Amino acid sequence: MTGTVTMECKENVCRSCYRDILDAMLSHVALLDEQGKIIFANKAWKKFAQENGVPPEEVSEGVNYLEVCNNAQGNFSEESVPFANGIKRVLNGDLDSYTIEYPCFSPEKERWFLGRVTPFSDEHYSYALVCHENITARKLSEKRSQDALNHLWTIYENIPIFMLLVDPERRVQEIDEAVISLSGQSRSKMIGAKGGEVLQCIHAFDDPQGCGYGSICQNCNIRLTVLNTFADG
């Protein structure tokens, strides 16, 4: 009898420790049973619900989270059903894990989250650990980079000079409309070619290896400029 009580005490202490660890996490975390019912939700999970106008008891212990996801409505709820399906597949053992990135904007700010589902089990039952991690900083950084790239591309497409984007091997990765008009070749034919071939340099094929290898190529100002640019970083 004493052995049984001791083991039960150890299990209770262990469960309490798990809860304390999950409560200390900044991510929103919940543990689901095999039916998708929430058996534990950490403080961050409940706080997020409360701050966004959802009574914590509607998405906490005793609530079936699969039903919550399947019945979600409103802006940005279209990812809820796929997320519920991912949870079910992890619980059924069809997937080792499941992740999804999704927007969750509030009236005050844009937000993005990474939803992650991983299996968890003890000697008796199987569970799914559901974690929602705020990835807004990364998504905003990606958005700024894309906006800058789009702005650069607009300039690239409209500036009235010949422009080629080349890699360290001097192969063309992108070209502007001015080059296409000059060469009379299709974009697809020029991508991957050497600059001299695209610009139809008369010395581009002096050497069997192509543009950049002939004797005259060694003093080509364009070739030297590209090499120096990559060397100088």
Side-chain angles (χ1 to χ4, degrees):
M1 186 67 177
T2 303
T4 302
V5 173
T6 302
M7 182 60 68
E8 288 178 353
C9 290
K10 288 182 178 180
E11 290 178 353
N12 289 333
V13 170
C14 188
R15 291 192 184 98
S16 177
C17 183
Y18 287 153
R19 290 170 181 265
D20 290 342
I21 292 172
L22 294 178
D23 269 337
M25 295 178 65
L26 298 178
S27 298
H28 317 142
V29 181
L31 188 64
L32 313 185
D33 68 11
E34 293 172 311
Q35 285 72 48
K37 186 172 68 175
I38 298 174
I39 59 176
F40 176 74
N42 74 344
K43 291 179 179 179
W45 180 288
K46 296 174 182 178
K47 180 181 178 182
F48 182 81
Q50 189 170 31
E51 290 177 344
N52 288 271
V54 178
E57 61 270 16
E58 293 185 6
V59 288
S60 297
E61 288 83 357
V63 175
N64 191 295
Y65 190 60
L66 297 178
E67 294 179 2
V68 171
C69 291
N70 286 324
N71 295 326
Q73 297 180 349
N75 295 333
F76 311 110
S77 61
E78 57 270 12
E79 302 293 352
S80 297
V81 172
F83 191 56
N85 291 334
I87 294 172
K88 286 191 288 187
R89 295 184 67 187
V90 170
L91 285 169
N92 292 337
D94 298 329
L95 291 176
D96 292 333
S97 64
Y98 178 79
T99 59
I100 188 171
E101 293 185 4
Y102 63 93
C104 182
F105 296 176
S106 71
E108 295 79 22
K109 56 185 176 181
E110 296 182 342
R111 302 175 303 193
W112 286 265
F113 289 86
L114 171 67
R116 188 189 306 275
V117 187
T118 53
F120 175 80
S121 62
D122 57 23
E123 64 272 22
H124 302 295
Y125 303 104
S126 296
Y127 310 94
L129 190 66
V130 177
C131 177
H132 296 275
E133 179 184 352
N134 192 319
I135 57 171
T136 301
R138 173 169 68 80
K139 298 296 287 189
L140 289 177
S141 177
E142 292 174 354
K143 186 175 183 293
R144 286 192 294 268
S145 297
Q146 187 60 51
D147 289 344
L149 183 61
N150 291 341
H151 180 65
L152 179 62
W153 186 250
T154 299
I155 297 174
Y156 189 78
E157 283 289 283
N158 292 281
I159 195 169
I161 60 175
F162 304 135
M163 296 182 66
L164 296 87
L165 181 66
V166 299
D167 64 16
E169 299 297 322
R170 304 183 306 286
R171 294 192 178 278
V172 175
Q173 299 302 307
E174 194 51 78
I175 49 180
D176 67 356
E177 292 299 326
V179 175
I180 295 175
S181 299
L182 171 70
S183 68
Q185 304 177 69
S186 67
R187 181 187 298 270
S188 60
K189 183 177 180 180
M190 290 185 282
I191 298 299
K194 293 289 186 68
E197 298 164 9
V198 169
L199 297 176
Q200 300 177 12
C201 172
I202 61 174
H203 299 291
F205 297 101
D206 284 359
D207 188 275
Q209 297 181 78
C211 173
Y213 291 95
S215 58
I216 293 180
C217 297
Q218 304 311 305
N219 297 314
C220 172
N221 287 331
I222 295 177
R223 172 181 176 276
L224 292 174
T225 298
V226 171
L227 292 175
N228 289 337
T229 298
F230 279 109
D232 296 340

